[in-house]
Amino acid sequence: MKAVIITVGNEILKGRTVNTNTAYIGSFLTHAGYDVIRNLVVKDDPDEIGWAFETALSVSDLVVSSGGLGPTFDDMTVSSFAKHFNIDLALNEEALSVLRQKYSMQKLPVTPERQKMAMLPVGSIAVKNNVGSAPGVFMELNEKKILILPGVPAEMKDILSNASSLIGKSDFFYYDDTIHLEGVMESSLAPFVSELMKKYSGKVYIKSHPLGMENNNPKLDVEVSSTGSSRKEVENDVKSAIEAIREHWKERIGK
Amino acid sequence: MKAVIITVGNEILKGRTVNTNTAYIGSFLTHAGYDVIRNLVVKDDPDEIGWAFETALSVSDLVVSSGGLGPTFDDMTVSSFAKHFNIDLALNEEALSVLRQKYSMQKLPVTPERQKMAMLPVGSIAVKNNVGSAPGVFMELNEKKILILPGVPAEMKDILSNASSLIGKSDFFYYDDTIHLEGVMESSLAPFVSELMKKYSGKVYIKSHPLGMENNNPKLDVEVSSTGSSRKEVENDVKSAIEAIREHWKERIGK
């Protein structure tokens, strides 16, 4: 099952904020068996947000977005999504009662800006936010799943965890492991890696990450990963490929 | 002038690596006066890479990519880009001579895997890489600019800097500043921010970034930015808007 992750926010595009949310959600979904195929980052702009959801839904089974869920004028992810797919917004009584409770604890009124966070697409579910005020939004559309999260990392993580059962697990298991090698260049290892992947008929994926070169001593992380329907097979394949790389490296360095 | 930043790499999509390259490039381009409108992250896959460049070029004047420029089987950004736009690859003598020099210093041969890094699209320019082996690739296509960078951050930063004059500066100046506020919630500030932006007729953009709530004391960074043809006007607008926010905050907290 395929997933696309969307981030909404000018601060990401300008490089003011590093997009750690996407990495967190990517790891979460990968370990739930999803194949994360694209990340799309767009501006706080209704047309751009509409484009991102349209594009993401056209190639995936699950779309998770973060950003643009707060009380300010440029928090427009939910309304832009709903407008793009012609879905009405309605006051979600559950979300409103949570907002009322949170703001009353601080002796603050639920202003129109705050109430906006309880206007959800008709047919969606408000997903609990234990950290902040705006709930997450989950809905199904044309047999695809959509989860809309806020951009504040602590809130995003909390709601994502609360949405686990809604997102569901894929029938596939994912496993990876990394071996750290010194004294071998990525380009020297490349032919062996290609051969090894052929040997596993595409069941393992091997990617080398060069870590730089110090005193002419190149360092490399080699990551081996696999996805499949048998957890045991997936783990065994990764472990035996890691061993094959270790043996090859020993032979080379021994020379 | 609009820009789109592409990242190629499964490790980003799986959340193994946080996409710091995009933030660096986004900040670099924003301060050169470009309006960075989208980030696209795609897999190490020829079709996906082709889609990313096609999509990016359809909405922007400049496309900068990072990742997929090394010697391994899954480094395929240049070849996938060239194939998608029907551009032939040819051995770039300048890039090859740099590769030969770098590898000969380590008494290593230029294998086919290594020579691949000197196969560049016909009509492109090899951009100097003082840190690693693979040069950057710059070319113009239908009056749009394309810069293809490697994924290793130190190499990416070096080449991006070397490509400054090729990318060019926009005729616009960008300026931003941030004011840190305590004791005021994003939702409390929202109506004032909307009013203030109206007052500046859209010439300044104000975005609040909630930093969480400690002991019922909310913290907020409020970022004010502006882009325009007069550097002085842009800076003055941002500074006076920051002052207006500071005054408003003092009044509120004083109450």
Side-chain angles (χ1 to χ4, degrees), chain B residues 118-158:
Chain B
M119 294 294 292
L120 304 192
V122 171
S124 71
I125 297 169
V127 187
K128 205 172 177 189
N129 178 350
N130 296 301
V131 180
S133 307
V137 179
F138 176 84
M139 83 178 291
E140 299 202 14
L141 193 66
N142 305 326
E143 297 180 18
K144 300 190 169 195
K145 295 178 176 183
I146 296 141
L147 177 64
I148 301 176
L149 303 169
V152 177
E155 301 187 28
M156 177 278 290
K157 291 176 188 178
D158 180 64

Side-chain angles (χ1 to χ4, degrees), chain A residues 177-237:
Chain A
D177 200 0
T178 296
I179 178 170
H180 179 76
L181 302 180
E182 299 201 5
V184 59
M185 296 180 75
E186 188 178 35
S187 51
S188 303
L189 197 69
F192 176 74
V193 163
S194 295
E195 280 307 308
L196 193 60
M197 281 184 62
K198 273 185 210 148
K199 202 184 132 193
Y200 281 90
S201 325
K203 285 197 291 181
V204 301
Y205 187 80
I206 305 174
K207 179 145 193 177
S208 51
H209 304 279
L211 303 175
M213 170 112 64
E214 286 160 30
N215 304 320
N216 248 2
N217 181 34
K219 296 177 182 188
L220 205 57
D221 271 351
V222 184
E223 182 196 3
V224 181
S225 61
S226 181
T227 304
S229 52
S230 153
R231 180 192 294 269
K232 200 173 169 185
E233 196 184 324
V234 158
E235 287 191 17
N236 285 344
D237 282 351

Side-chain angles (χ1 to χ4, degrees), chain B residues 5 7 18-26 66-67 150-153 156-157:
Chain B
I5 303 170
T7 316
V18 174
N19 198 345
T20 53
N21 280 1
T22 290
Y24 186 89
I25 300 166
S66 77
V152 177
M156 177 278 290
K157 291 176 188 178

Side-chain angles (χ1 to χ4, degrees), chain B residues 180-211:
Chain B
H180 179 77
L181 303 180
E182 299 201 3
V184 59
M185 297 181 75
E186 187 177 35
S187 51
S188 302
L189 198 68
F192 175 74
V193 163
S194 297
E195 280 307 307
L196 193 59
M197 281 184 62
K198 270 185 213 149
K199 201 184 136 195
Y200 280 89
S201 324
K203 285 197 290 181
V204 301
Y205 188 79
I206 305 173
K207 181 148 189 177
S208 52
H209 303 280
L211 303 174

Side-chain angles (χ1 to χ4, degrees), chain B residues 107-125:
Chain B
K107 300 192 169 57
L108 290 167
V110 177
T111 58
E113 284 83 7
R114 288 170 184 146
Q115 186 165 310
K116 188 185 82 172
M117 295 189 281
M119 294 294 292
L120 304 192
V122 171
S124 71
I125 297 169

